[in-house]
């Protein structure tokens, strides 16, 4: 008997199909997707190969592979595929599958395989718990502020909120660390840290620049950027309040920050809301990309962002209109949505893709997978 | 001949086939210098209408009476050019061809030397042409009967087409039933099996009075010429007659059990057996190779249908044409190839088809090694494409389609079974590409290899070790069952057929057709036609089509009622013949006899039997035996021309 | 020869139609062969060599074409199309439109003088538009029948462009061919004719056309000069082609040093055609070998997904190409081609799937193995499938009968296939059509006006 490496075989066809990769067995491995891909053009990788790993159920290889996280979802592969297998969505399904592998708690797995109804129910229950908890703890405080006709962030929220945030981020980082270990982070590095950083940055800028030239991709990139910018701005504003609250009342910063609050909220509402609108629209001018299948985790992820942005926006509006009763209602709703967002979505749902992508890009750059010279 | 030979020489470029290596213009100029050559021309495609018109015009213009065409092999276009000169008023046998393609431009790379050789060949042809005589074809009455050898789908279809056209057909089948291997092929499409196709054809045969079926019969002798063949067949006794009602009582009593070849060895049968459900003729048969003549079956039979004393019968059939449709054998992997024969869960594709067939040994349930496999792998190209030392060097054409059809069937019936297909290339050509699409939709998994996989029998079961080349990894696949998609090989007894009918085969052993592109159903021997997998791997539809095509060629040959034979027979100069009888003994076709002329015994050649092989004229010590178109003088002149520049 | 049967109609004069006609004629059946082009021959007449034997296509085709002329029971109706079919098996009434060729074919000798004098040059479809022909033309030198035809749309005399017509003020233009024709065969006033035939059976051999590669803009066909289809390449390497068999590329007339073949262009692709075109893997191999014979040091690479070498002799041919001729094979579907503006060389984008990374490669010349599509058969009462191929009634029983009894289909019109399979199908249909024809009773005698065969 010849000694060959035994690579585990599982039938993961059902899982991948449930996670949205229903075209996976249509793939006959022609390589068109990799050949069209701007990312594959600049790196020594193959998206086709990881699809093959998934087809054959090679769990070991799939677990170790960082390639699905390198995808920037340009969608060129969808039109190039001669079998209409939608490689972009297959890769998304693989990312979801890999997320369930990276997570050690098992909650990610539960989250990804739950139906949309189950997800919504869970969110509602968690929101209800946090709203009931908020009211139970701070009802009198809020009534107090209302009677004084002022609106302030409830200070007692901080000792509860910070641990929740730390817990959430901690879980996220722990999963990130597991991923780093699975993909063999720290091994086979041939490029220095700074070189790798430079390469990733320049490669990312170059490929996104090229994509920006195409009108429909430009719009999608901008939508994504809006969400990203909105979240970063939101975090910055929240941190600022924690660290240096006087900034919010001193002139002229208070005006800048007020505008920033609106900007952040609007970014989130528009960036996350547009895909919903386009999906439901019957206008023929909508690009076909918006009509493609998206997994329930994607919709829920977007939905969270939209709801957080909307409640935040309305809260600010009613605040500046001095109708504090409604502001507080929105405030409670806002926190009620942020809580399940932090508990579920950030460590286990769609939102952790930024961490996994960063790790994957870093490791692949240090491994020298980014082509140094332009391929001629 | 009294007239002076006026020779016209025509050199063909054959596109670039000849012109690339031979300076055709120089050869044409050279030809003009030869004695008796009146004109010489060259043209790019001499066999085309333009080229033929050129020849005809030159004949008329210059009163040519002998033609030399230097071009491709006579086996390609001699009939073409003969017909051309005949339409210009010349006797068609006043043509001599010089082969400057296969014998010259295709064989040499030195352009100068090839040109010189071409000139030599033309000179030789002119030398012979000068001595050509006008000859007449010999006409014979043709028998409007055809012999179809092989009762598989190709043979049956050929028989039906010929019978419907109006011919009488003898359908001779070696095994006890019609149907061939297609009857054992399982699912062809979602709702059609090989047995259904065979059923349809058998029904048509049974109701057609023009077809006489001989089963359990073999061809033992074959002689004659197109339109007038004599075939001897031996009908082996079945020992059961038409009083049989298929009750099966005899079978129950029979003590002998052997592997059932109609289930590819997956079950057993008795010495007295009924091959399969739709078998025709519908009666039992005794396998005389294993029967011990105990007589239990005779005792059990209530209908007096068994007679153990039957003898074989020899029949002589007079037919006009022969269609060989004897089919193929599945490749049988030697013991140990992919661990075949070392584990009961490793089966061939043919055996799998029996398992999935509702008339099979498991009534259509996929039970291998006692249970339904959770994971099953197909290995393609077994026995084909040089994958293993024992493999043939060709692709067996039908295995990819067959494998995917069965893989899809398995996934439809047993969705939780994992199906792997290990392949080199997926050859689902034409509209069969839809099978590849369907296989994907049914979640069949594909593994591409270049080096053949290795099958290991481990303590936990079967493991296939293979290098998947699209991911560049060595992987080990644990499976419950393996199906070897074996290819097609020529039948073991094809060598007997070749010696009886004198057809030829290619290097792989399949019978060779007259021309791969243009005459794929005719044998090079006139009057014999080839249909189905006997010439090479084919699927069922292609075999049936070839059956119809060969029937068409038979109809073309025999529909006129007469057949013409070439006049290159031997002829005796009776004055010179000494009656030594050497030629009589040496003639392979028994065409020469001794007869009395003017008180002397001299040889006589029966034209109908003479095949023009030339053996007698070469052997004749007195030179009395000559062969038309190959007379001593013609050959001597040609030889001298070869060496004298 | 007495015809004891009703005639049979064969539609399409490619190799399949020709073989069916020969078989029928040999069986003593009267045959009408209708072909829409001026000459029979079809796609095979445009090939240089055939796989796997490397026989020259014309060498094996033209004798069959010539043989047709010898049968007195075969009537060729070229430059004609079937307009309408009515009736049933044994008794079809077919209306055939004999297109006006403006030349009296009873007088025309095919001498070609008119062609030399004609002033109008248009793209030559026989050479897949790689060269030009005149408005009056003989399809190709070995055409059967070898007669001239005037292309109405491009003839100055018959269809003058409006500006020239005005200048001439009503006087007829040109007329050069009429002036020089030694047989006085030009007939500008010729009218289309409708011929009605009563036949017992019909054999459809209408064949295929190439899928238009411009529908796949990623390959730049039609924009990039050095991107060819496989049929165009076939004409390039033919000794009777636009470059007399010299392998020269369009942009600068130089000999290419590196040629690529791209397989499955428009085939096996649900965006264009689902089916596999069956012959192109072997055709590309053959063309690569021939390219090497023309230019011994040329580098030839074939980009494929599956190498389909399934027929007799095919796999051995493929191995020969690799071991003897050094043809290279890369498994990867080329997805895009770009052109280098100065050298007009082409860059192919593909993934080398056996090494798992994306690659780009530069070539002097690229040949696209485009899909074949069946020609339209709208005038016939038969069903076609999704791909446009004529459906068989029961492929396992009869193998050539369409959904309409008495109408048979052979060759590329039925399925993408190569020459031996088409020829077998043709013979198969011949005997079945002949059987119907012999059974049918002869109705009124058939007369057709037209050219002598």
């Amino acid at each position: 008997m010849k000694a060959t490496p035994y690579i585990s075989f599982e039938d993961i066809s059902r899982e991948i199909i449930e996670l949205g990769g229903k075209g996976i067995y249509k793939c006959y491995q022609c390589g068109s997707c990799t050949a069209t891909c701007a990312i594959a053009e600049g790196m020594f990788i193959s998206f086709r190969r990881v699809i093959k790993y998934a087809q054959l159920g090679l769990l070991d290889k799939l677990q170790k592979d960082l390639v699905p996280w390198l995808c920037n979802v340009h969608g060129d592969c969808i039109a190039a595929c001669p079998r209409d297998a939608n490689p972009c969505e297959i890769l998304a399904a693989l990312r979801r599958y890999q997320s369930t592998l990276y997570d050690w708690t098992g909650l990610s797995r539960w989250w990804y395989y739950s139906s949309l109804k189950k997800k919504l129910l869970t969110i509602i229950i968690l929101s209800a718990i946090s709203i009931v908890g908020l009211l139970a703890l701070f009802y009198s405080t809020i009534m107090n502020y209302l009677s004084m006709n002022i609106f302030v962030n409830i200070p007692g929220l901080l000792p509860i909120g910070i641990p929740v945030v730390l817990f959430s981020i901690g879980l996220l980082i722990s999963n990130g660390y597991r991923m780093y270990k699975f993909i063999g982070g720290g091994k086979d590095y041939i490029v220095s840290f700074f070189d790798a950083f430079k390469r990733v940055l320049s490669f990312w800028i170059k490929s996104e620049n090229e994509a920006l030239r195409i009108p429909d991709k430009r719009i999608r990139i901008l939508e994504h950027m809006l969400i990203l910018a909105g979240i970063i701005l939101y975090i910055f504003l929240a941190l600022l309040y924690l660290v240096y609250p006087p900034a919010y009342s001193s002139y002229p910063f208070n005006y800048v920050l007020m505008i920033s609050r609106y900007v952040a909220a609007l970014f989130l509402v528009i960036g996350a809301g547009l895909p919903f609108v386009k999906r439901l629209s019957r206008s023929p001018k909508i690009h076909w990309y918006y009509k493609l299948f998206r997994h329930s985790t994607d919709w829920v992820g977007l939905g969270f962002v939209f709801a957080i942005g909307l409640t935040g926006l309305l809260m600010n509006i009613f605040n500046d209109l001095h109708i504090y009763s409604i502001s507080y209602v929105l405030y409670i709703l806002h926190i009620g949505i942020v809580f399940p967002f932090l508990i579920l979505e950030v460590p286990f749902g769609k939102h952790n893709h930024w961490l996994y992508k960063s790790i994957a890009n870093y490791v692949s750059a240090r491994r020298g997978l980014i082509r140094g010279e332009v391929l001629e | 001949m009294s007239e002076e030979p006026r020779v016209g020489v025509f050199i063909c470029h054959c596109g670039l086939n000849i012109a690339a290596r031979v300076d055709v213009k120089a050869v044409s100029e050279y030809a003009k210098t030869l004695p008796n050559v009146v004109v010489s021309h060259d043209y790019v495609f001499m066999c085309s209408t333009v080229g033929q018109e050129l020849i005809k015009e030159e004949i008329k213009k210059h009163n040519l009476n002998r033609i030399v065409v230097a071009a491709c092999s006579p086996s390609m276009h001699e009939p073409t050019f003969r017909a051309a000169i005949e339409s210009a008023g010349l006797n068609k046998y006043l043509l001599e061809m010089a082969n400057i393609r296969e014998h010259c431009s295709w064989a040499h790379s030195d352009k100068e030397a090839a040109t010189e050789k071409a000139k030599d060949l033309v000179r030789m042809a002119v030398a012979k042409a000068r001595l050509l005589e006008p000859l007449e074809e010999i006409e014979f009455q043709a028998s409007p009967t055809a012999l179809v050898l092989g009762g598989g789908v190709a043979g049956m279809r050929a028989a039906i087409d010929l019978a419907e056209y109006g011919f009488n057909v003898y359908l001779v089948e070696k095994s006890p039933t019609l149907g061939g291997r297609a009857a054992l092929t399982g699912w062809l499409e979602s709702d059609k099996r090989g047995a259904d196709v065979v059923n349809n054809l058998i029904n048509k045969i049974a109701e057609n009075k023009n077809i006489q079926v001989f089963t359990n019969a073999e061809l033992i002798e074959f002689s004659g010429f197109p339109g007038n063949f004599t075939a001897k067949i031996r009908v082996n006794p079945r020992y059961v007659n038409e009083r049989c009602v298929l009750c099966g009582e005899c079978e129950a009593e029979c003590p002998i059990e052997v592997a059932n070849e109609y289930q590819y060895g997956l079950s057993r049968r008795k010495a007295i057996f009924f091959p399969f459900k739709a078998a025709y003729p519908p009666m039992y048969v005794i396998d005389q190779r294993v029967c011990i003549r105990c007589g239990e079956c005779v005792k059990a039979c209530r209908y007096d249908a068994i007679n153990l004393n039957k003898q074989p019968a020899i029949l002589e059939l007079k037919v006009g044409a022969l269609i060989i449709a004897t089919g193929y054998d599945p490749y049988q992997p030697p013991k140990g190839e992919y661990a075949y024969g070392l584990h009961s869960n490793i089966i061939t594709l043919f055996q799998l088809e029996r398992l999935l067939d509702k008339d099979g040994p498991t009534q259509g349930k996929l039970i291998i090694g006692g249970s339904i496999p959770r994971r099953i792998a197909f290995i393609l190209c077994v026995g084909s494409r040089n994958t293993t030392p024992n493999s043939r060097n060709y692709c067996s054409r039908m295995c990819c389609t067959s494998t995917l059809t069965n893989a899809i069937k398995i996934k439809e019936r047993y969705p939780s079974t994992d199906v792997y297909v290990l392949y080199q290339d997926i050859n689902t050509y034409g509209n069969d590409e839809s099978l590849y699409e369907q296989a994907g939709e049914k979640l069949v998994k594909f593994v591409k290899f270049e080096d053949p996989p290795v099958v290991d029998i481990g303590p936990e079961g079967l493991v296939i070790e293979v290098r998947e080349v699209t991911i560049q990894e060595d992987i080990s696949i644990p499976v419950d069952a393996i199906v070897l998609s074996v290819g097609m090989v020529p039948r073991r007894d094809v060598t007997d057929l070749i010696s009886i009918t004198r057809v030829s085969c290619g290097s792989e052993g399949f019978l060779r057709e007259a021309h791969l592109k243009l005459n794929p159903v005719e044998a090079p021997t006139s009057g014999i036609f080839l249909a189905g997998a006997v010439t090479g791997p084919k699927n069922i539809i292609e075999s049936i089509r070839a059956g119809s095509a060969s029937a068409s060629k038979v109809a073309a040959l025999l529909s006129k009622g007469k057949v013409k034979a070439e006049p290159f027979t031997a002829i005796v100069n009776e004055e010179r013949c000494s009656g030594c009888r050497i030629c009589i003994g040496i003639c392979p076709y028994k065409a020469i006899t001794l007869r009395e002329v003017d008180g002397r015994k001299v040889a006589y050649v029966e034209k109908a039997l003479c095949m023009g092989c030339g053996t007698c004229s070469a052997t004749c010590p007195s030179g009395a035996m000559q062969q038309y178109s190959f007379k001593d003088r013609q050959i001597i002149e040609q030889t001298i021309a070869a060496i004298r520049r | 020869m007495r015809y004891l049967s009703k005639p049979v109609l064969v539609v399409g004069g490619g190799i399949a139609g020709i073989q069916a006609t020969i078989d029928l004629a040999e069986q003593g059946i009267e045959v009408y062969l209708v072909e829409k082009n001026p000459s029979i021959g079809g796609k095979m007449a445009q090939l240089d060599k055939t796989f796997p034997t490397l026989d020259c296509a014309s060498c094996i085709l033209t004798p069959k074409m010539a043989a047709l002329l010898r049968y007195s029971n075969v009537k060729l109706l070229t430059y004609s199309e079937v307009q309408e079919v009515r009736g049933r098996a044994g008794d079809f009434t077919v209306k055939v439109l004999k297109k006006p060729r403006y030349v009296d074919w009873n007088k025309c000798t095919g001498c070609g003088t008119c062609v030399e004098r004609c002033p109008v040059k248009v793209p030559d479809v026989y050479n897949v538009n790689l060269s030009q022909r005149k408005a009056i033309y003989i399809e190709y030198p070995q055409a059967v029948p070898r007669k001239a035809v005037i292309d109405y749309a491009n003839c100055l005399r018959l269809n003058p462009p409006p500006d020239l017509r005005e200048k001439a003020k009503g006087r007829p233009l040109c007329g050069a061919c009429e002036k020089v024709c030694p047989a006085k065969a030009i007939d500008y006033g010729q009218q289309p004719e409708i011929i009605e035939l009563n036949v017992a059976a019909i054999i459809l051999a209408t064949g295929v056309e190439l899928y238009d590669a411009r529908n796949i803009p990623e390959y730049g066909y039609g924009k990039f000069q050095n991107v060819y289809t496989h049929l165009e390449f076939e004409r390039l390497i033919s000794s009777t082609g636009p470059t007399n068999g010299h392998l020269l590329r369009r942009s600068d007339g130089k000999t290419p040093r590196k040629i690529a073949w791209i397989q499955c262009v428009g085939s096996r692709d649900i965006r264009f055609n689902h089916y596999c075109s069956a012959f192109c893997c072997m055709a590309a191999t053959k063309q690569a070998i021939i390219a090497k014979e023309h230019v011994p040091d040329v580098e030839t690479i074939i980009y494929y997904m599956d190498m389909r070498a399934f027929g007799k002799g095919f796999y051995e041919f493929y191995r020969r190409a690799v071991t003897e001729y050094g043809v290279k094979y890369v498994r990867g579907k080329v997805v895009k081609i770009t052109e280098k503006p100065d050298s007009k060389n082409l860059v192919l984008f593909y993934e080398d799937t056996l090494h798992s990374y994306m690659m780009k490669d530069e070539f002097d010349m690229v040949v696209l193995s485009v899909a074949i599509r069946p020609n339209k058969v709208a005038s016939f009462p038969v069903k076609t499938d999704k791909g446009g191929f004529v459906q068989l009634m029961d492929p396992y029983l009869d193998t050539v009968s369409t959904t309409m009894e008495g109408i048979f289909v052979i060759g590329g019109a039925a399925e993408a296939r190569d020459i031996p399979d088409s020829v077998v199908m043709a013979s198969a249909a011949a005997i079945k059509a002949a059987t119907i024809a012999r059974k049918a009773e002869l109705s009124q005698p058939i007369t057709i006006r037209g050219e002598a065969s």
Side-chain angles (χ1 to χ4, degrees), chain A residues 266-281:
Chain A
L266 272 170
F267 275 6
L268 293 180
V269 167
I270 297 173
L274 268 181
F276 279 107
V277 167
K278 288 189 184 171
R279 175 71 166 213
L280 297 167
S281 157

Side-chain angles (χ1 to χ4, degrees), chain C residues 384-397:
Chain C
T384 53
D385 67 10
K386 272 190 310 162
F389 295 105
V390 178
Q391 263 182 340
L392 293 175
M393 184 73 199
D394 184 349
Y396 288 96
L397 186 60

